[in-house]
Amino acid sequence: SGINAEYGGTLEQGICNLSEDHVNYLCTNPQSSHAIQAFLSSPSISAPVKHRFIKTAVFVADKLVTTPSGSRIVEAMWQAADSQIKTSIAQILISKEQAIKDNTYGSIVWRNCNLKTFKQGVSTWEESERKKKKNIESFQKLINDESTADKENTAEAPEMIDTGRTLTKSKKSKKIKKKKKNEDCGDD
């Protein structure tokens, strides 16, 4: 008994074993699409598991991309995919280029997935993707370095307080404060 036995395995297995029709339904439904998007963006789900799902969903990507919920799924698939799967997604979307570009949601995905560059040439697109990945990694490193520095500064703060130092305001800031108080009271 239990949900795993009834449906044949874990939630991950269930999502990965969906038919194209079920993928299309769940990804275009405003409620269930959130669960699929969370699955694709979750750091606790391994890339191979995400790729199994995407390899099914890629065949309905051209249908998903023109819907509000489905377009978000296509972008989440894109973010979770390796370059080989991205190539498959791009080829399917390019085959329906005009319909996708004419659609509000499709045109957003077209831009965000950099499909114009892909269409110009795979090598140009691959280089563009490498640069993007390098920029993201550099940005993440910068953020990590800053958060490490913040932690170090926070750790030092109690030591400064313990030294018994007191902060005093400068004469200039006292004069400004006094002048502002006089202005508020109507004194000139």
Side-chain angles (χ1 to χ4, degrees), residues 79-170:
Q79 294 302 318
D82 60 20
S83 61
Q84 182 181 4
I85 295 172
K86 283 182 179 181
T87 300
S88 298
I89 295 169
Q91 288 171 338
I92 286 172
L93 296 180
I94 286 173
S95 72
K96 308 280 182 160
E97 176 181 1
Q98 200 55 53
I100 291 169
K101 287 170 75 174
D102 288 344
N103 178 276
T104 301
Y105 305 105
S107 63
I108 293 168
V109 173
W110 188 271
R111 182 189 67 234
N112 291 347
C113 295
N114 202 14
L115 295 175
K116 179 181 178 184
T117 307
F118 181 88
K119 191 175 173 199
Q120 292 170 349
V122 176
S123 61
T124 305
W125 171 78
E126 286 174 340
E127 180 61 29
S128 174
E129 288 295 306
R130 272 194 294 278
K131 285 180 182 176
K132 257 194 231 177
K133 185 176 180 179
K134 186 177 180 181
N135 286 343
I136 289 169
E137 289 170 353
S138 296
F139 183 69
Q140 287 174 336
K141 184 180 183 302
L142 178 66
I143 289 172
N144 290 339
D145 289 348
E146 284 183 12
S147 68
T148 302
D150 287 345
K151 287 177 185 174
E152 289 171 359
N153 290 340
T154 305
E156 292 173 5
E159 293 171 18
M160 289 176 63
I161 293 168
D162 290 343
T163 61
R165 294 184 189 172
T166 57
L167 298 174
T168 57
K169 293 183 179 181
S170 69

Side-chain angles (χ1 to χ4, degrees), residues 58-84:
V58 73
F59 295 106
V60 293
D62 58 323
K63 295 174 190 160
L64 300 177
V65 75
T66 57
T67 67
S69 300
S71 63
R72 292 179 182 267
I73 298 301
V74 173
E75 286 192 45
M77 288 167 41
W78 188 265
Q79 294 302 318
D82 60 20
S83 61
Q84 182 181 4

